[in-house]
Amino acid sequence: MSNDTSASEARAARLLTESAAIVERSLVYMPGDAFWEQRYAERARRFAHEDGAFHVRYLADAVRASSPTVMAEYARWLRDLLVPRGMCTLHLAEHLEHVGSAVVDCLGEGQESSYIQGAVDALRYDASAPRAIQEAAPALDDHLKAVTPRLAARHSAFETRYLCHYAADALQRGTPALLASHVEWSRSVRAASGIDSVEHEAWLIAVRDALQPAGLPPAYLQ
């Protein structure tokens, strides 16, 4: 066994040994986003812990094999599993990034960072319109801050960059109902979140109009 292989095996073993601590540290952001409790209630942290443990397990496999492809393929597979369950691609990408930061905090810098970044990059769609919407999200989020309903506590269901990713996910799958379901859910929790209905509807219209040049059909966001 070469020194490089021995080092990779040892690092992978450390990842698995410290998995619980890594996962716990990676989830410190969740209480700051009201989306998780309102969307999944008491299941939120259980699901997040399960997903986080899988992230670390696949990351250990990638380290052991010295293969970034392992994490890239895993990220795309997991997106197909989670998006129909109410999350968007950006939620998954951010969770992966938090796991990457937690690994550095717990174990120090290693090759995991590049594998996590590769997994996040793999979540960018190849089709032109969904990818254009993903890429437009940060700038549009900044542009619409004056229109976007804002809460004292963060709520990703009412932030433009997340809505853009919900739109990209629905367009990639050719399933307008996927986006419609999320929008209807956001309307159902709007009042409990302290958001004015007129402000909310104005935001939805603003995002819809802004995404049409990127290729989102108007029927996808009503």
Side-chain angles (χ1 to χ4, degrees):
M1 184 179 292
S2 69
N3 289 338
D4 287 346
T5 301
S6 297
S8 295
E9 289 286 352
R11 184 73 174 190
R14 287 190 67 198
L15 282 166
L16 296 176
T17 298
E18 298 296 327
S19 177
I22 292 168
V23 172
E24 192 63 38
R25 186 179 289 267
S26 76
L27 297 179
V28 295
Y29 74 97
M30 284 190 67
D33 184 354
F35 167 83
W36 299 107
E37 181 177 354
Q38 286 194 323
R39 181 67 177 83
Y40 300 104
E42 72 281 355
R43 299 173 301 162
R45 286 194 65 82
R46 174 165 59 85
F47 289 157
H49 274 86
E50 291 172 356
D51 289 345
F54 274 111
H55 296 347
V56 175
R57 186 182 307 172
Y58 275 87
L59 188 56
D61 287 345
V63 169
R64 186 178 294 110
S66 297
S67 173
T69 303
V70 171
M71 282 300 292
E73 292 180 348
Y74 166 68
R76 287 190 288 261
W77 170 80
L78 192 58
R79 176 182 58 195
D80 290 341
L81 184 67
L82 295 180
V83 164
R85 298 182 181 182
M87 290 174 58
C88 70
T89 294
L90 184 56
H91 284 128
L92 172 56
E94 288 184 338
H95 191 185
L96 287 168
E97 289 172 340
H98 283 293
V99 168
S101 296
V103 169
V104 174
D105 290 341
C106 292
L107 303 184
E109 189 67 59
Q111 63 195 113
E112 298 88 5
S113 296
S114 65
Y115 293 166
I116 290 287
Q117 185 58 56
V120 171
D121 291 343
L123 295 174
R124 297 172 184 163
Y125 289 120
D126 293 328
S128 58
R131 182 158 185 155
I133 292 170
Q134 287 179 319
E135 292 176 347
L140 186 57
D141 189 72
D142 288 339
H143 179 66
L144 292 182
K145 283 190 187 300
V147 180
T148 304
R150 285 292 177 182
L151 301 177
R154 181 167 169 258
H155 198 316
S156 58
F158 304 103
E159 295 187 48
T160 300
R161 62 187 183 277
Y162 294 92
L163 186 59
C164 288
H165 280 263
Y166 276 106
D169 292 337
L171 187 57
Q172 171 70 21
R173 288 160 174 74
T175 311
L178 191 64
L179 178 58
S181 176
H182 170 69
V183 169
E184 284 307 305
W185 175 80
S186 74
R187 286 177 172 136
S188 74
V189 299
R190 174 195 52 74
S193 303
I195 296 176
D196 178 77
S197 61
V198 174
E199 184 181 21
H200 185 219
E201 295 304 318
W203 170 61
L204 292 172
I205 291 170
V207 175
R208 181 195 66 196
D209 292 348
L211 291 181
Q212 285 185 36
L216 185 73
Y220 270 73
L221 190 53
Q222 299 293 335

